[in-house]
């Protein structure tokens, strides 16, 4: 990491040294559809693709320009529930990744046990909560400079030279290339400029936190401009592993982006972009949280097993932040790609955009899947490689009464995964009941090797029309036609310690016991389908600065395939019907109001919505090590509904505040054959006429459970974000500027951390508060100190159950209090 920071420092220094050369070459060329030239005056933000006439000098107070509908508009004029964050807010609040953004956007939920197992949801829906399965689509689309990122793992890196982030809530399939049923995160980076500019930022903090960011932009010739940005983050882990003597769950990130803009004339921009990001932390470890009784025999639950093996957790207080994991940990994660974007202003009212992109993702993990210091699972790693290609064409028309967007999108993806899992010397004692098999240690060295690949193809035509029927009354219909095809291959080969193959069925008693841990399987699922979706929005400007709107959307999330294996029948044969999952059918209703008052010093936006999903794609699990840790199935119906509030105020110069809130009621309406939570599982098989045992009482267990009416996992009913900043003019060290103090915070009520809600894995609600204090000079210098999680709140990001229904509960503690300082210079 030291070498990375030497490299980054050299680039930053080079940016400063090159200032005169760039300045001498500075061109004066401009374009009506000029690329990102972000500027902020008070609460005014001008950003991506803003037309030349939209500048801070002629934009009213508290107006934020966005491109959510693929054209430049004031946020308050767009009948969509949107949270918008500019670059300065992102930098100063420390929200430098999508995971951090959720602290500023209450309706956004991001949960990650490691980069691959990352769930990004809006209003409680988007992707199944739990282990990632590559065979399904994301419900929340992540876009960076118009390029779709197909897997959340490729979007968990530090933001790099970001100008603005827009979080769009609700279906967006008639506006965006890839269909998105829950919303979209639209990230726009700063673009090359024909005026020399740049920035350098250095942060140091507790836990040996070091972060360096640098960017430089300017002309290479009269018609060519370039921009280069780099970022590096390094931080010691927050959990100490007494087995290895290392701090785990560290940060080790490096990113670089380069862009070249070619502007042959005032009506055409062609931008070639390339980026690369790498992470190589010792991550991701858990801590012991506790024990919750299951229906397994008492001598096979965690306390008895641990006693027999002479094991005790290193600490029973998870916030001692101690672990004793004995397997290697790694979260090697590399992603990058290239894109070519062309924007042609055909005339004053129409433009054509083309985005051609290729991206890759390379994932190299190592995990400890028994969550203990015992050698139960000695190896668990599933490295994966992805290539994706996408092409989008878009035509925009803007007229006096008619606005329109028409687009076409094509997408191709290939994912290859090679998995290896192996049992250790404590596995037989942990899992088996036959004393002879335990004594002979028949599970030690049992190895499963997985080979799987996925080919996905998608194509769509989409469009949206806005018609101003009368002054203030607008009707906005949209439609989408989509085709999706998926082909998959999953093969698991299981061998014992001597290298002998374990058969998929039959075999001797030892092989049958071994197959209960790792079951051989071969499936080749496939899926293809056409879908049609549409939406209709009606908005009306009741008066100046007051707009109300209503939206109905009938949309879908395409079907998928199970890429991690499927359940087997009593003879060990895979249940092929479980290889595919049905498309989700989504109906969405929303009403809202966008208002400004007090001479535009205050903004208040409200939204209320109800979304129902039939054939909801849920993540289920049977709790075993390798039989199936997780697979996809359809729940009959889920529903999410709620109310959202976004309020900001600037009563006088130098004082700003905001309060955003969300009430989210998301539940399974009908899911009668769901997997049972651990307290209702693990026992003997229930027989006809026999009642299952009570929760947590050893005895017979039901094969499935009815969880209808239960809350969806990962969803807090109440969530808020709030902030305040005050600034006063100050002359310091010969520079004019302002002294400022800011606070921002977030609150989330409790949520379930298990796909089938369990009494043991409800994460308690928590509140996080951050402070910052600094000086902004008029010359671009910004120096400030910060404290995050200032009151050292103890909270969990996730709770997980150990395998085999032993009642072991592990968890991922959230970050403790951290503090530091930042120096930034914009030039």
């Amino acid at each position: 990491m030291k070498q990375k920071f030497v490299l980054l420092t050299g680039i930053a220094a080079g940016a400063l040294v090159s200032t005169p050369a760039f300045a001498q070459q500075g061109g004066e060329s401009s374009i009506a559809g000029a690329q990102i030239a972000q500027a902020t005056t008070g609460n005014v933000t001008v950003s991506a693709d803003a037309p030349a006439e939209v500048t801070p000098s002629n934009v009213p107070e508290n107006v934020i320009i966005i491109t959510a509908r693929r054209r430049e508009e004031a946020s308050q004029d767009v009948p969509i529930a949107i949270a918008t964050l500019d670059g300065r807010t992102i930098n100063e609040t420390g929200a430098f990744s999508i995971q951090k953004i959720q602290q500023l956007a209450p309706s956004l939920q991001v949960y990650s046990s490691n980069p691959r197992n990352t769930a990004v949801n809006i209003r409680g829906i988007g992707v199944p909560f739990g282990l990632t399965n590559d065979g399904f689509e994301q419900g929340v689309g992540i876009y960076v400079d118009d390029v779709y990122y197909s897997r959340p793992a490729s979007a968990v890196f530090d933001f790099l030279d970001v100008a603005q982030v827009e979080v769009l809530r609700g279906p967006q399939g008639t506006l965006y290339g890839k269909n998105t049923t829950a919303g979209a995160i639209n990230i726009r980076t700063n673009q090359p400029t024909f005026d020399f500019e740049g920035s350098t930022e250095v942060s140091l903090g507790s836990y040996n936190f070091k972060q360096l960011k640098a960017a430089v932009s300017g002309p290479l010739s009269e018609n060519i401009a370039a921009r280069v940005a780099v970022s590096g983050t390094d931080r010691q882990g927050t959990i100490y592993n007494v087995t290895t003597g290392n701090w785990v769950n560290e940060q080790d990130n490096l990113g670089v982006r380069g862009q070249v803009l070619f502007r042959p004339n005032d009506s055409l921009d062609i931008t070639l972009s390339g980026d690369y990001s790498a992470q190589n932390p010792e991550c991701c470890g858990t801590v012991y949280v506790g024990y919750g009784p299951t229906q397994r025999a008492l001598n096979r639950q965690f306390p008895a097993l641990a006693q027999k093996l002479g094991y005790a957790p290193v600490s029973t207080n998870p916030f001692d932040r101690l672990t004793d994991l004995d397997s290697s940990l790694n979260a090697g994660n590399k992603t990058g790609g290239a894109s070519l974007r062309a924007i042609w202003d055909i005339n004053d009212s129409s433009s054509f955009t083309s985005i051609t992109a290729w991206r890759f993702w390379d994932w190299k993990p190592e995990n400890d899947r028994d969550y203990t210091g015992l050698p139960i699972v000695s190896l668990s790693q599933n490295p994966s490689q992805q290539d994706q290609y996408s092409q989008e064409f878009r035509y925009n028309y803007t007229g006096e009464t008619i606005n329109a967007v028409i687009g076409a999108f094509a997408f191709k993806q290939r994912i290859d995964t090679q998995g290896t899992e192996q049992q250790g010397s404590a596995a037989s004692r942990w899992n088996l009941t036959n004393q002879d098999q335990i004594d002979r240690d028949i599970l030690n060295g049992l190895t499963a090797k997985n080979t799987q690949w996925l080919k996905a193809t998608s194509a769509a035509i989409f469009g949206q029309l806005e018609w101003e029927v009368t002054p203030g009354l607008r009707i906005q219909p949209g439609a989408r036609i989509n085709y999706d095809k998926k082909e998959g291959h999953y093969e698991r080969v299981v061998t014992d310690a001597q290298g002998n193959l374990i058969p998929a069925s039959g075999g001797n008693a030892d092989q049958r016991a071994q197959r209960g841990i790792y079951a051989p399987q071969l499936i080749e699922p496939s899926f293809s389908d056409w879908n049609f979706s549409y939406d209709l929005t009606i908005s009306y400007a009741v008066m100046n600065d007051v707009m109300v709107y209503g939206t109905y959307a009938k949309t879908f999330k395409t079907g998928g395939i199970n890429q991690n294996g499927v359940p087997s029948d009593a003879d060990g044969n895979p249940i092929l019907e479980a290889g595919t999952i049905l498309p989700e059918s989504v109906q969405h209703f929303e009403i809202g109001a966008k208002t400004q008052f007090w001479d535009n010093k205050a903004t208040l936006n409200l939204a209320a919505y109800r979304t129902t999903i039939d054939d909801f794609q849920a993540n289920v699990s049977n709790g075993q090590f390798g039989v199936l840790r997780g697979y996809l199935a359809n729940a009959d119906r889920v529903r999410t509904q709620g109310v959202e509030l976004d309020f900001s105020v600037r009563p006088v110069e130098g004082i700003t505040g905001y309060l955003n809130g969300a009430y989210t009621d998301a539940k399974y309406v009908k899911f009668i054959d769901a997997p049972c939570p651990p307290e209702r599982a693990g026992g003997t098989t229930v027989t006809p006429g026999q009642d299952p045992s009570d929760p947590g009482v050893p005895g017979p267990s039901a094969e499935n459970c009815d969880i209808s009416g239960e809350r969806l996992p990962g969803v807090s009913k109440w969530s808020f974000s709030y902030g305040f900043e005050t600034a006063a003019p100050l002359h310091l060290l010969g520079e004019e500027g302002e002294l400022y103090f800011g606070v921002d915070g977030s609150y989330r009520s409790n949520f379930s951390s298990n796909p089938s809600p369990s009494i043991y894995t409800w994460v308690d609600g928590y509140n996080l508060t951050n402070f910052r204090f600094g000086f902004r000079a008029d010359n671009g210098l910004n120096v400030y100190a910060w404290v995050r999680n200032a009151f050292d709140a103890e909270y969990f990001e996730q709770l997980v159950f150990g395998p085999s229904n032993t009642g072991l509960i592990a968890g991922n503690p959230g970050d403790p209090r951290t503090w530091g300082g930042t120096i930034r210079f914009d030039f």
Side-chain angles (χ1 to χ4, degrees):
M1 197 65 206
K2 291 179 180 178
Q3 294 176 340
K4 296 177 183 177
F5 272 87
V6 170
L7 172 64
L8 292 173
T9 304
I11 294 174
L16 292 170
V17 171
S18 63
T19 302
F22 272 91
Q24 291 173 4
Q25 298 179 49
E28 300 299 328
S29 176
S30 63
I31 183 173
Q35 298 307 297
I36 296 176
Q38 184 184 10
T40 303
T41 302
N43 284 1
V44 181
T45 301
V46 177
S47 50
D49 300 334
E53 66 272 17
V54 180
T55 63
S57 61
N58 61 18
V59 175
E61 289 287 336
N62 291 337
V63 171
I64 299 175
I65 303 300
I66 63 172
T67 59
R69 293 195 295 180
R70 304 310 196 185
R71 57 182 181 270
E72 299 78 29
E73 303 172 283
S75 177
Q76 289 299 103
D77 293 337
V78 179
I80 300 174
I82 305 173
T84 305
L85 304 170
D86 63 17
R88 193 177 83 176
T89 300
I90 291 169
N91 288 332
E92 294 184 358
T93 60
F96 50 81
S97 69
I98 290 179
Q99 291 166 281
K100 301 293 185 182
I101 286 291
Q102 68 172 328
Q103 296 182 18
L104 301 174
S107 296
L108 177 66
Q109 299 97 28
V110 182
Y111 302 103
S112 179
S113 58
N114 60 45
R116 176 183 172 88
N117 293 321
T118 298
V120 181
N121 288 346
I122 293 177
R123 295 172 170 173
I125 56 175
V127 294
F129 185 91
L131 293 173
T132 295
N133 191 314
D134 293 324
F136 67 93
E137 300 290 328
Q138 307 301 306
V140 176
I142 300 173
Y143 295 85
V144 180
D145 292 338
D146 287 338
V147 176
Y148 173 70
Y149 283 37
S150 62
R151 309 266 26 122
S154 63
V156 298
F157 290 94
D158 295 350
F159 289 148
L160 183 57
D161 199 23
V162 165
Q164 187 162 292
V165 176
E166 301 163 2
V167 181
L168 287 68
R169 310 190 291 263
Q172 305 298 326
T174 63
L175 277 174
Y176 285 75
K178 203 73 171 71
N179 195 36
T180 53
T181 55
I185 300 175
N186 189 25
I187 302 170
R188 294 184 286 115
T189 69
N190 292 305
Q191 299 292 292
T193 59
F194 283 94
D195 292 320
F196 178 73
E197 66 174 38
S199 65
T200 301
E201 178 181 308
V202 178
S203 298
L204 300 174
S206 56
Y207 288 89
N208 292 321
F209 176 78
K210 298 183 289 290
Q211 187 175 69
L212 176 61
K213 300 178 182 179
V216 61
S217 178
L220 300 179
S221 70
E222 183 179 357
N223 303 108
I224 299 176
R227 189 178 192 98
V228 177
V230 293
S231 173
T233 303
D234 184 29
R235 192 189 74 177
Q236 173 188 296
T238 57
I239 297 174
Y240 184 71
N241 190 336
V242 300
T243 300
T244 63
N246 296 336
W247 289 89
V248 301
N249 294 8
E250 60 188 0
Q251 294 180 11
D252 183 1
N253 307 335
L254 175 68
V256 61
R257 175 183 289 112
Q259 301 174 89
V260 178
L261 167 64
F262 174 50
R263 182 174 290 164
N265 54 57
D266 288 348
S267 62
L268 179 62
D269 275 4
I270 301 174
T271 305
L272 176 64
S273 301
D275 68 276
Y276 173 81
S277 296
Q279 293 175 327
N280 193 34
E282 187 171 354
C283 186
C284 298
T286 58
V287 297
Y288 174 84
V289 174
Y291 158 69
T294 72
Q295 293 178 337
R296 203 177 191 192
L298 283 176
N299 65 347
R300 301 189 64 211
Q301 296 197 36
F302 177 75
L305 291 170
Q307 183 179 28
K308 287 181 180 179
L309 290 164
Y311 173 77
V314 63
S315 174
T316 57
N317 178 3
F319 295 102
D320 285 343
R321 299 181 181 274
L322 297 174
T323 190
D324 58 356
L325 302 179
D326 60 333
S327 296
S328 297
L329 299 177
N330 188 34
N333 195 16
K334 297 179 182 179
T335 187
S339 66
L340 182 66
R341 180 174 61 177
I343 302 176
W344 174 32
D345 288 342
I346 301 171
N347 51 45
D348 291 341
S349 60
S350 59
S351 64
F352 178 81
T353 302
S354 170
I355 305 107
T356 306
W358 160 75
R359 296 204 61 77
F360 76 90
W361 170 46
D362 190 358
W363 170 236
K364 294 183 178 180
E366 293 179 276
N367 304 291
D368 192 323
R369 285 298 180 194
D370 57 51
Y371 308 119
T372 72
L374 291 167
I376 303 170
V377 179
S378 59
L379 189 65
S380 177
Q381 54 191 44
N382 287 273
S384 185
Q385 308 84 41
Q386 173 192 287
D387 280 284
Q388 69 167 67
Y389 302 86
S390 61
Q391 175 64 59
E392 182 171 350
F393 297 113
R394 200 166 57 236
Y395 172 77
N396 287 62
Y397 175 80
T398 303
E400 292 186 4
T401 59
I402 297 290
N403 298 315
V405 178
I406 300 174
F409 179 77
F411 175 81
K412 186 174 183 179
Q413 177 187 46
R414 167 89 187 214
I415 302 177
D416 289 277
T417 302
Q418 311 83 34
T420 303
E421 298 174 64
Q422 189 173 78
Q423 296 287 283
S425 58
S428 297
R429 170 70 66 184
W430 193 264
N431 290 284
L432 302 179
T433 57
N434 184 295
Q435 190 60 48
D436 175 61
Q437 292 176 333
I438 293 174
D439 293 340
R440 289 187 290 110
D441 202 7
I442 67 168
L443 296 185
N444 190 13
L446 184 70
T447 303
K449 292 192 175 181
N450 305 333
T451 301
Q452 57 193 91
W453 52 256
L454 168 74
K455 297 178 183 178
T457 303
S458 180
I461 298 173
F462 59 93
Q464 195 175 91
L465 175 72
E466 183 185 67
W467 174 33
E468 187 173 17
V469 182
T470 62
L473 177 62
R474 296 175 181 267
I475 298 177
Q476 179 182 291
R480 179 186 186 92
I481 299 175
N482 209 95
Y483 173 76
D484 289 281
K485 181 179 180 179
K486 290 182 171 64
E487 299 174 277
H489 173 91
Y490 174 86
E491 183 176 10
R492 166 170 279 196
V493 176
V494 182
T495 57
D496 61 19
Q498 291 73 43
N500 301 312
L501 288 173
I502 306 300
S505 60
N508 57 41
D510 286 355
Q511 290 172 331
R512 289 194 295 271
Q514 291 164 334
R515 196 163 55 237
I517 304 299
Y518 293 147
Q521 191 171 100
L522 172 63
I523 59 170
E524 293 187 323
S526 63
F527 173 89
S528 63
D529 197 15
W530 288 87
N531 294 95
F532 174 71
S533 59
Y534 56 91
D535 56 42
L536 175 66
T537 298
I538 300 175
S539 62
Y540 181 62
V542 179
M543 60 182 72
N544 287 339
D545 301 318
V546 177
M547 179 189 70
V548 295
Y549 67 91
T551 296
Y552 170 74
K554 180 68 173 71
T555 184
F556 72 97
K557 183 164 72 172
T558 188
I561 59 177
N562 268 304
Q563 279 296 101
N564 296 341
V566 296
S568 298
D569 60 22
D571 297 324
N573 299 312
I575 302 174
L576 298 180
E577 293 80 1
T580 60
I581 52 173
L582 298 172
E584 292 183 352
S585 179
V586 183
Q587 289 199 76
H588 173 75
F589 299 87
E590 183 169 338
I591 57 174
K594 293 195 168 187
T595 70
Q596 286 189 312
F597 53 95
W598 196 7
D599 294 330
N600 286 344
K601 296 177 181 177
T603 299
L604 175 63
N605 296 335
L606 299 169
Y609 64 91
R610 180 183 174 91
T611 304
T612 58
I613 304 177
D614 292 327
D615 295 318
F616 178 76
Q617 296 169 1
N619 199 22
V620 301
S621 172
N622 66 358
Q624 295 300 314
F625 279 114
V627 179
L628 279 175
R629 284 190 293 118
Y631 64 101
L632 296 173
N634 291 106
D636 295 283
R637 171 174 284 195
V638 304
R639 183 264 293 145
T640 179
Q641 61 186 11
V643 179
E644 298 163 335
L645 172 149
D646 298 282
F647 174 73
S648 63
V649 63
R650 188 183 183 191
V652 296
E653 185 71 24
I655 297 179
T656 59
Y658 69 90
L659 172 65
N660 304 322
Y663 169 75
T664 308
D665 177 19
K667 69 177 185 180
Y668 296 103
V669 175
K670 185 180 180 182
F671 196 5
I672 60 175
D673 56 353
C676 296
E679 65 268 24
R680 299 169 64 187
T684 58
T685 302
V686 67
T687 59
Q690 187 180 32
D691 293 328
S693 294
D694 292 333
V697 176
S701 296
E703 184 176 356
N704 296 297
C705 288
D706 184 352
I707 61 172
S708 302
E710 298 280 1
R711 197 191 309 179
L712 289 181
V715 183
S716 298
K717 279 197 172 183
W718 295 97
S719 54
F720 296 94
S721 64
Y722 48 88
F724 167 83
E725 182 178 295
T726 180
L730 180 69
H731 183 84
L732 182 66
L733 301 176
E735 296 293 339
E736 296 294 335
E738 61 180 13
L739 189 70
Y740 65 93
F741 170 78
V743 58
D744 61 271
S746 64
Y747 168 78
R748 291 182 182 272
S749 62
N750 71 345
F751 63 87
S752 168
S753 190
N754 197 61
S756 293
S758 167
I759 58 176
Y760 303 133
T761 53
W762 282 94
V763 174
D764 292 336
Y766 58 89
N767 180 74
L768 303 178
T769 306
N770 311 318
F771 296 104
R772 61 188 181 276
F773 175 75
F775 173 71
R776 297 189 196 102
D778 294 344
N779 66 357
L781 178 66
N782 189 359
V783 182
Y784 60 98
W786 44 264
V787 181
R788 291 161 189 157
N789 188 10
F791 301 113
D792 204 18
E794 296 180 340
Y795 68 101
F796 291 104
E797 293 182 345
Q798 277 187 270
L799 295 175
V800 295
F801 282 104
S804 297
N805 288 107
T806 67
L808 170 65
I809 305 168
N812 305 95
D815 279 353
R817 175 173 51 231
T818 58
W819 51 267
T822 298
I823 300 176
R824 180 181 176 89
F825 182 60
D826 294 300
F827 54 88

